[in-house]
Amino acid sequence: MTKVTKALITGITGQDGAYIAESLLSKGYQVFGMYRRRATDPFDNIDHIKNKINLVSGDLCDGHSIQEVVEETNPDEVYNLGAQSFVKVSFNQPHVTRDINFYGVDRLLHSLFRFNKKIRFYQASTSEMFGDVLETPQSEFTPFNPVSPYGEAKLAAHELVKEYRKRGMFCCGGILFNHESPRRGLQFVTRKITHSVAKIHLGLQDKLSLGNLNAERDWGHAIDYVEAMWLMLQQDTPDDYVIATGKKITVRDFVELAFKKIGREIEWVGEGLDEKGYSNGQVVVDVDEKFFRPNEVNLLLGDPSKAKKELGWEPRASLEDLVFSMVQNDLTLLEK
Ligand code: NAP
Ligand code: GDD
């Protein structure tokens, strides 16, 4: 009888956790998803597969729970996706961010190493570690220069992953650039835009207020990116990989694409805090400084050539398809 591969996913209730769970189930894995206790139901993203996965309770801030989860689930592969993942919040909650995003990884790796050194480990590293970028595009060779507590904690975790790799564990750091989907949290700029555009279309909201419209990101689709995580753990040797599309646009461009989906063109007037986006003579976008960050990452653009060469990975979804699917999903949700 062939052995079923067991995967443990932390961050199962998040965007990537839900997509990788679906993908691993389709590959015949037994899937364990770690979730933390919440006052309200956190299972929106995984309602449809809840009866196919094994949910285990644990918190990256609690070493006891992690040890128990590792022992109970006895995994072959671990995907550590749990994090305080919102960069802006990390500026006023730096301690909790570091506790989850760095010490959480420390706790988990320590437990795994003691329990079974053969477990393969994926760490959700991030392009935010490049911060105030020192070269463009950013590859595995680009020096890191984080500018947020989030980026700093993720970089410390990334270095720890390398340490455990030197100790013989199969650990990979996926340096993933921004990836989005209809399951993206509403705080992140892409989903905030698509949700607001859908509301404006349905007459439920007048305008959308944003922060830095000039920020440039390399946005891909989360479904493509979770496939890269899995591919990393199937290689003969562990390594770190940049996962990106190699294309960038501004927040302003993203806004235009989202409005295009509902058949509206945006005309931009003014600059800085006074910039406004008009459609049919009505202000539908403005700038509010409360959405600025104390320190900004202005540009992220990845070079995914190593992933293409070594993993055979390439992004499939186009940016237009991504934006349109997000707006369509929000329209459907709001029309219910
Ligand atoms: P997400 O939607 O914000 O999900 C984060 C997950 O972490 C949620 O399930 C959350 O649970 C869980 N979590 C938070 N604190 C925890 C704790 N103390 N113990 C256990 N679980 C905890 O994030 P995502 O977009 O799926 O991203 C997945 C991972 O990739 C994160 O580590 C993120 O930092 C990293 N990353 C994301 C991107 C991107 O563009 N999406 C790019 C690079 C790297 P609750 O539901 O209880 O809050
Ligand atoms: N959230 C948000 N809200 N961002 C805004 C807004 C706004 O109203 N207006 C402009 N922005 C700008 C931010 O300043 C930032 O430059 C850019 O839009 C993207 O912001 P987010 O969508 O919040 O994502 P992020 O790039 O800070 O972080 C995401 O990507 C990282 C990978 O680079 C998160 O998913 C991180 O967890 C991930 O590591």
Side-chain angles (χ1 to χ4, degrees):
M1 220 172 70
T2 49
K3 183 181 166 283
V4 175
T5 311
K6 292 197 279 182
L8 168 64
I9 302 167
T10 72
I12 188 73
T13 56
Q15 170 187 261
D16 292 4
Y19 281 121
I20 198 160
E22 283 173 0
S23 166
L24 294 174
L25 285 172
S26 76
K27 291 177 171 73
Y29 278 60
Q30 185 176 5
V31 175
F32 295 87
M34 190 179 94
Y35 73 100
R36 58 180 173 163
R37 193 247 155 213
R38 282 235 236 111
T40 50
D41 187 355
F43 299 125
D44 271 6
N45 276 339
I46 49 169
D47 245 354
H48 59 300
I49 48 169
K50 232 161 94 183
N51 59 351
K52 297 189 186 137
I53 59 182
N54 307 277
L55 288 168
V56 284
S57 163
D59 196 305
L60 286 164
C61 296
D62 188 308
H64 290 265
S65 73
I66 290 176
Q67 195 182 327
E68 274 177 27
V69 165
V70 168
E71 285 169 9
E72 257 173 49
T73 58
N74 185 18
D76 301 292
E77 296 175 9
V78 174
Y79 295 86
N80 184 37
L81 311 182
Q84 190 302 91
S85 68
F86 192 43
V87 174
K88 185 161 190 278
V89 156
S90 77
F91 288 99
N92 59 1
Q93 296 182 16
H95 292 180
V96 84
T97 301
R98 194 165 180 86
D99 196 9
I100 302 171
N101 297 5
F102 170 63
Y103 289 112
V105 184
D106 193 9
R107 293 177 187 110
L108 183 53
L109 277 170
H110 180 74
S111 285
L112 293 171
F113 191 76
R114 285 170 65 101
F115 180 70
N116 174 6
K117 295 177 189 54
K118 292 212 169 77
I119 295 170
R120 294 190 168 205
F121 181 81
Y122 173 84
Q123 166 60 13
S125 292
T126 163
S127 49
E128 184 73 16
M129 300 187 304
F130 294 119
D132 188 6
V133 296
L134 298 171
E135 66 181 21
T136 296
Q138 297 87 49
S139 74
E140 294 79 3
F141 300 106
T142 305
F144 296 118
N145 189 24
V147 295
S148 65
Y150 170 83
E152 283 155 14
K154 283 282 186 176
L155 177 54
H158 189 70
E159 296 300 336
L160 192 65
V161 166
K162 285 184 199 286
E163 245 179 67
Y164 273 89
R165 192 150 74 211
K166 283 187 198 144
R167 292 205 225 164
M169 263 188 90
F170 193 110
C171 305
C172 298
I175 307 171
L176 270 54
F177 281 62
N178 299 49
H179 46 280
E180 319 297 310
S181 74
R183 291 181 187 161
R184 189 58 145 151
L186 283 163
Q187 286 181 310
F188 299 97
V189 76
T190 56
R191 183 78 195 289
K192 179 176 167 182
I193 294 168
T194 62
H195 197 251
S196 295
V197 166
K199 277 182 132 179
I200 290 169
H201 186 62
L202 298 172
L204 302 170
Q205 184 176 319
D206 295 331
K207 68 172 167 64
L208 157 68
S209 297
L210 291 167
N212 180 10
L213 295 172
N214 296 318
E216 293 177 288
R217 289 291 184 277
D218 177 333
W219 276 296
H221 197 304
I223 290 188
D224 289 340
Y225 286 46
V226 300
E227 211 49 31
M229 298 174 186
W230 177 76
L231 283 169
M232 286 180 215
L233 294 200
Q234 312 315 309
Q235 303 306 301
D236 292 335
T237 47
D239 208 344
D240 302 327
Y241 295 89
V242 160
I243 302 298
T245 69
K247 294 178 194 148
K248 66 174 168 67
I249 61 166
T250 61
V251 170
R252 189 184 292 99
D253 297 330
F254 196 102
V255 170
E256 286 180 16
L257 275 175
F259 273 102
K260 189 171 157 194
K261 165 72 188 164
I262 57 161
R264 291 173 83 158
E265 258 184 53
I266 303 295
E267 189 197 342
W268 299 99
V269 178
E271 270 179 42
L273 281 173
D274 295 324
E275 183 165 357
K276 295 195 175 14
Y278 286 85
S279 166
N280 306 332
Q282 176 202 345
V283 176
V284 287
V285 187
D286 68 7
V287 177
D288 186 331
E289 61 186 329
K290 80 170 177 238
F291 299 114
F292 287 133
R293 294 167 184 194
N295 220 344
E296 175 66 303
V297 170
N298 290 304
L299 158 76
L300 289 173
L301 174 65
D303 170 3
S305 22
K306 177 176 168 186
K308 184 174 178 188
K309 186 162 166 258
E310 295 185 13
L311 305 177
W313 179 87
E314 275 188 282
R316 278 180 285 193
S318 74
L319 183 71
E320 263 207 6
D321 289 348
L322 169 66
V323 180
F324 284 17
S325 70
M326 289 175 73
V327 177
Q328 189 53 56
N329 171 73
D330 282 322
L331 283 168
T332 310
L333 278 180
L334 290 162
E335 274 165 346
K336 269 189 193 158

